[in-house]
Amino acid sequence: MTIDFIALLSAGRIAPRDCIQPVAAARLALEPQRAEHAQAMFEVLGDPALYEYENTPPVSLDALRERYGQLESRVSPNGAELWLNWVLRLTDGPLIGYVQATLRPQGRAAIAYELGSAWWGRGLATEAVQAMVDELAKHYQVRHLFAVHKHRNQRSHRLLLRLGFTPCSAEEHAQRGVDGDELLMQKQLP
């Protein structure tokens, strides 16, 4: 049975906090992201290594806290997407990054992830993204995943390949407006 979280949220039948739950992984806990995580995540996201290929760090702690507060709505302003954001906490304590999924109609989701460079090379990103994918399949009936990364970002490319993603066709890149320096990858779930 498919649960239409967007419709339930829009109708006021569930609260935003009720459409996302904590997820346990072997060495990590995926906690629903909240404004209260901004302080610790500001430190994680201040890592210059994260911006080698794209994006920029948050401009301020207040801006990050405000952004996280907006994301707590769990639904896009137009009501067409469900936003699921988790921070990653090691079982022994600190926050080390995040995973997120934007759910769209027909069981489709775009995913993203970021992990502080101090934690790279330990399999933690693979573990976190796999835990999120399992959660999306089990509780949100997601069947088709997409992720975009810069061609030069081989670390991200290898992670997605390990998780069973494959590059999309040139037609799919054009249809989705993917920049020329980016690679769109997909994974079909059973």
Side-chain angles (χ1 to χ4, degrees):
M1 177 174 139
T2 300
I3 298 170
D4 188 344
F5 286 103
I6 294 173
L8 292 172
L9 279 168
S10 299
R13 295 186 56 207
I14 63 170
R17 69 180 175 279
D18 295 331
C19 68
I20 185 171
Q21 298 299 317
V23 177
R27 298 174 291 165
L28 297 164
L30 284 64
E31 299 175 6
Q33 180 182 282
R34 304 200 193 295
E36 65 200 42
H37 292 116
Q39 177 78 42
M41 286 303 296
F42 187 72
E43 292 179 35
V44 173
L45 297 175
D47 180 353
L50 299 178
Y51 308 102
E52 180 179 355
Y53 303 107
E54 61 186 314
N55 300 326
T56 58
V59 295
S60 70
L61 174 57
D62 288 338
L64 185 62
R65 188 177 290 117
E66 182 178 328
R67 176 70 178 142
Y68 280 9
Q70 292 167 347
L71 292 172
E72 282 186 53
S73 72
R74 308 292 181 212
V75 66
S76 63
N78 67 5
E81 299 173 337
L82 186 63
W83 293 339
L84 302 175
N85 306 77
W86 290 271
V87 293
L88 308 175
R89 184 179 301 279
L90 286 177
T91 53
D92 62 359
L95 294 181
I96 63 168
Y98 69 84
V99 292
Q100 64 187 36
T102 301
L103 276 59
R104 300 187 173 119
Q106 290 125 12
R108 296 162 100 59
I111 66 162
Y113 43 86
E114 203 152 35
L115 192 73
S117 65
W119 308 103
W120 293 352
R122 302 177 189 196
L124 293 166
T126 302
E127 184 177 323
V129 174
Q130 185 62 61
M132 176 182 62
V133 167
D134 293 346
E135 177 75 0
L136 296 174
K138 182 176 180 182
H139 291 110
Y140 300 93
Q141 292 72 44
V142 169
R143 295 294 173 249
H144 204 145
L145 297 165
F146 293 93
V148 175
H149 68 82
K150 296 291 185 185
H151 282 289
R152 296 183 350 231
N153 190 343
Q154 289 302 302
R155 185 178 296 103
S156 193
H157 187 72
R158 288 189 304 269
L159 168 68
L160 292 168
L161 288 174
R162 270 193 305 277
L163 293 171
F165 282 74
T166 59
C168 291
S169 67
E171 295 81 26
E172 187 88 23
H173 278 78
Q175 178 186 5
R176 295 187 179 273
V178 176
D179 291 340
D181 66 339
E182 294 179 326
L183 181 62
L184 176 66
M185 298 186 72
Q186 65 180 335
K187 179 177 181 172
Q188 191 74 35
L189 300 174

